Amino acid sequence: MHDNERGYRAICFDLDGTLLPMDIDEFMGAYFARIGAYAGARGLDAQRFMAALKDGTYAMASHDDGALNKDAFWAEFAKAYGAEGDALEEVRAIADEFYESEFGLIGEGFAGNPDAPRAIDALVRKGYPLVLATMPMFPLRAVQHRLAWAGVDPAVFARITTYENSTSVKPKHAYYAENLAALGLAGEDVLMVGNNTLEDLAFCELGADAYLVTDWLLDPVGLDVDAVRHGTFAEFADWVETLPDCKNPACGIRK
């Protein structure tokens, strides 16, 4: 069903390439360059740090043991970097400092889309609970920076997926099931807004409806986009204006 009467009880948004217009490869290149330089400047072995960072990231993507992504990351990082105890805590403190400060500078080259806050403001006005269903491989502070680049206030989201509160990643069903459980909803109650036909539209396999944003479309599955509601983010923002007020919003959403 793709009509305005479905009665969404919550709306989930992807971030990179959806709310935030960016080339994900450009972003990741800038991120890896900055964090590696930051680690090296603070006395860490930058090469070993970057190798451990990538191993930890792979652990987040691949583990299925129910552990938080944060715990999966740091367990694998510690093993790859060869640090434990106080030495590991020092590395973690440096990483925290990076996300607090230097990470935010990556966004200097990215321009936000004014239609993003326009759409968000309209949905808030209409009473829709919002979830930022971004890939949960970053700490909350990094996600807050990226929302700032997009011109969107993090406070509008009842839930933001991060490596601190998630145990799986896109496009795994476990990631979306975890979000439905946090919302207290069935898939049929939710609209997913994203730009990736694999990572974001996987939610449809649990019953969610979708709006595929095409400005920065990523289509690894070769989807016939006419099979799903789609358009530019400006068109999405226009469509949002046609939605009725939320009649039965999700409540008690777990952060």
Side-chain angles (χ1 to χ4, degrees), residues 13-34:
F13 281 92
D14 173 57
L15 180 53
D16 303 319
T18 302
L19 284 173
L20 179 61
M22 65 156 51
D23 181 305
I24 191 65
D25 291 333
E26 180 184 350
F27 163 66
M28 292 305 295
Y31 162 68
F32 284 127
R34 280 191 179 269

Side-chain angles (χ1 to χ4, degrees), residues 1 15 59 102 127 183 204 248 251 253:
M1 183 185 296
L15 180 53
E102 188 88 3
L183 286 162
C204 297
N248 185 21
C251 57
I253 297 171

Side-chain angles (χ1 to χ4, degrees), residues 42-64:
R42 277 145 189 82
L44 301 181
D45 182 324
Q47 186 173 356
R48 194 153 48 101
F49 178 91
M50 293 305 296
L53 177 70
K54 290 174 181 176
D55 284 354
T57 301
Y58 178 77
M60 286 192 286
S62 59
H63 79 107
D64 58 1

Side-chain angles (χ1 to χ4, degrees), residues 204-248:
C204 297
E205 295 166 20
L206 276 67
D209 201 4
Y211 194 111
L212 182 65
V213 174
T214 56
D215 305 69
W216 294 88
L217 178 65
L218 294 175
D219 184 19
V221 302
L223 179 77
D224 175 6
V225 295
D226 289 332
V228 64
R229 187 185 291 278
H230 66 278
T232 65
F233 204 98
E235 290 171 326
F236 169 74
D238 291 341
W239 178 72
V240 161
E241 296 288 357
T242 73
L243 288 176
D245 290 348
C246 187
K247 296 181 178 64
N248 185 21

Side-chain angles (χ1 to χ4, degrees), residues 141-161:
R141 190 68 188 99
V143 181
Q144 291 169 336
H145 279 301
R146 283 150 59 213
L147 283 168
W149 307 342
V152 176
D153 183 355
V156 302
F157 297 100
R159 174 175 168 83
I160 295 174
T161 60

